[in-house]
Amino acid sequence: MNLIRLFAFALVALAACPVGAQDPGTLTPKPLPPLANPDDPQTPAKELFVRKTDAAPLSARSLGGYARGCVAGAVALPVDGEAWQVMRLSRNRNWGHPNLIAFLERLAKRVPQVNGWPGLLVGDIAQPRGGPMLTGHASHQIGLDADIWLTPMPDRRLSRAEREQMSATDMVRPDRLDIDPNVWTPQHTALIRAVSREPEVARIFVNAAIKKALCREAGGDRAWLTKVRPMFGHNYHFHIRLACPQADEACADQDPPPVGDGCGPELDQWFTEKMLRPKPGPPRPPMTMAQLPPECRKVLVAR
Ligand SMILES: [Zn+2]
C-alpha cells in the first residue's frame, strides 16, 4: 500500500472506529425504538441489524466481505467458559460463525500453556446476524472477526457490572511511538505469536507500536509476523480474523498479506505525523441493504 492509499484508508478507519474496547457499557441498556420505515431503501443497514437480537435460523454461512456482509446461522460464545469471559454483555456482540466460536473456545483453553494467563477476556465478535454496527467497527460483519483484550482474564468470575465498567489496559506509550514497557510483557508476544501460527487465522490487527515491539521481540523465527498487521486503535485489544470457511463461496476472502515480516519501511510509514495524528475525514453515508450481498436480506428477515 503506498502512503496516499494508506492515508486515505486511515481516514476511513478512523471515522469507522469511534468506540474502543475501553468504553464502558451499561447494566440497563435501553431497548431501541422500532423504526418508522424499516422498508425504506434508504434505511441504514446498521439500524436493521442492530434490532435483531437472535441469530438467523439458517445453515451457517458468512456472506460477503469482512466490512460488507452478514452471517447466517451464527452461534453465541457462552459468556463464561473454563478459560474465557465475555465483556460488555450489553452490546450483544458475542455472536459469530460456528467456526470462529469453536476456534475461540479451543484457543482460550490453550492460553494457560501458551503464556500462563488463566484465560481470555473476549470483546466484540459480531451481532447475532452480523452486518454493520451502530458504533465501532467497520468490519466484524460476517462473524469471522473477534477482539481479544490485551488484559489477562482474572482468576475469578467478573460480575456483570465489572464486565460493563472494567477498563482494558492501553499497551502504547502516550507518544504512540512504542509500547509502554510498564504494561507490555513477553506473555503478550507469546499469545499473539501462538494465534498467528494457527492455520485458520488470516490476519491479526494490532496497533503499529505493538507491531514494532513484536518485530523487535520475534527473534529468528519471523514467519508468524506476516499475518500481524498494523492498524489504528487496537492498543487495548488485538483483533483475530479467520479466513473464510472452506466451500463457503459467498464469503469473500481478503488478499493474503504481503510477503515478509512487515517490519521495514511499511511499518515506518505508520509513525509519520499524518498517520499518528490523522485528521478525521468527512462522514460517509451509512451502508444500505442494497450495498450488502442480496442474501443478507434473507438473513435479516429469517425467523
Ligand atoms: Zn478489532
Side-chain angles (χ1 to χ4, degrees):
M1 211 176 335
N2 68 36
L3 193 53
I4 293 169
R5 269 186 62 202
L6 190 63
F7 184 61
F9 163 77
L11 297 180
V12 171
L14 260 195
C17 299
V19 174
Q22 73 285 7
D23 290 347
T26 171
L27 281 175
T28 51
K30 288 199 186 74
L32 292 164
L35 292 172
N37 298 302
D39 299 325
D40 181 338
Q42 295 308 313
T43 301
K46 61 186 177 184
E47 295 284 357
L48 300 167
F49 278 99
V50 73
R51 284 171 171 75
K52 297 296 175 181
T53 55
D54 59 359
L58 303 167
S59 51
R61 287 173 83 199
S62 291
L63 299 155
Y66 297 94
R68 194 182 284 270
C70 62
V71 56
V75 293
L77 180 67
V79 301
D80 288 301
E82 62 185 85
W84 72 86
Q85 299 184 43
V86 177
M87 303 300 284
R88 304 293 189 262
L89 302 180
S90 60
R91 297 186 187 180
N92 196 27
R93 291 177 179 173
N94 55 318
W95 298 79
H97 189 285
N99 287 15
L100 175 62
I101 301 305
F103 175 88
L104 292 173
E105 294 188 0
R106 281 197 310 274
L107 173 68
K109 288 175 197 165
R110 275 181 52 218
V111 164
Q113 297 108 272
V114 166
N115 73 352
W117 289 5
L120 299 177
L121 295 179
V122 180
D124 285 355
I125 306 175
Q127 301 178 120
R129 301 184 188 203
M133 299 184 190
L134 284 184
T135 55
H137 325 275
S139 67
H140 291 255
Q141 293 196 21
I142 56 175
L144 296 174
D145 294 286
D147 287 340
I148 305 296
W149 284 30
L150 289 162
T151 304
M153 186 185 88
D155 243 335
R156 62 185 179 84
R157 186 179 292 202
L158 295 168
S159 70
R160 292 270 163 155
E162 286 174 308
R163 293 181 202 222
E164 299 297 344
Q165 299 296 329
M166 193 181 129
S167 184
T169 306
D170 187 353
M171 293 289 134
V172 177
R173 242 163 50 180
D175 67 7
R176 321 316 282 161
L177 296 177
D178 211 322
I179 44 94
D180 176 351
N182 298 314
V183 294
W184 180 258
T185 66
Q187 286 74 29
H188 290 100
T189 305
L191 176 61
I192 294 170
R193 179 173 52 217
V195 176
S196 185
R197 284 179 173 156
E198 292 298 322
E200 306 101 301
V201 171
R203 273 175 166 71
I204 293 171
F205 297 116
V206 296
N207 188 273
I210 294 178
K211 171 87 188 198
K212 187 190 269 186
L214 296 173
C215 288
R216 190 166 56 223
E217 294 169 13
D221 172 13
R222 307 185 71 78
W224 61 276
L225 286 167
T226 306
K227 288 185 202 169
V228 184
R229 315 300 302 167
M231 182 56 71
F232 298 95
H234 298 87
N235 45 324
Y236 294 85
H237 66 261
F238 73 107
H239 177 137
I240 300 175
R241 170 167 295 171
L242 296 196
C244 284
Q246 288 199 344
D248 208 342
E249 281 170 15
C251 180
D253 265 315
Q254 246 179 311
D255 291 338
V259 289
D261 61 16
C263 294
E266 185 194 335
L267 180 60
D268 296 341
Q269 292 182 3
W270 285 83
F271 298 97
T272 56
E273 185 59 26
K274 264 186 175 177
M275 294 294 275
L276 287 172
R277 275 166 281 277
K279 298 186 183 70
R284 312 185 108 204
M287 232 176 254
T288 62
M289 289 306 292
Q291 290 162 280
L292 297 175
E295 297 97 322
C296 288
R297 291 177 198 276
K298 290 183 204 137
V299 170
L300 189 69
V301 301
R303 41 195 290 172

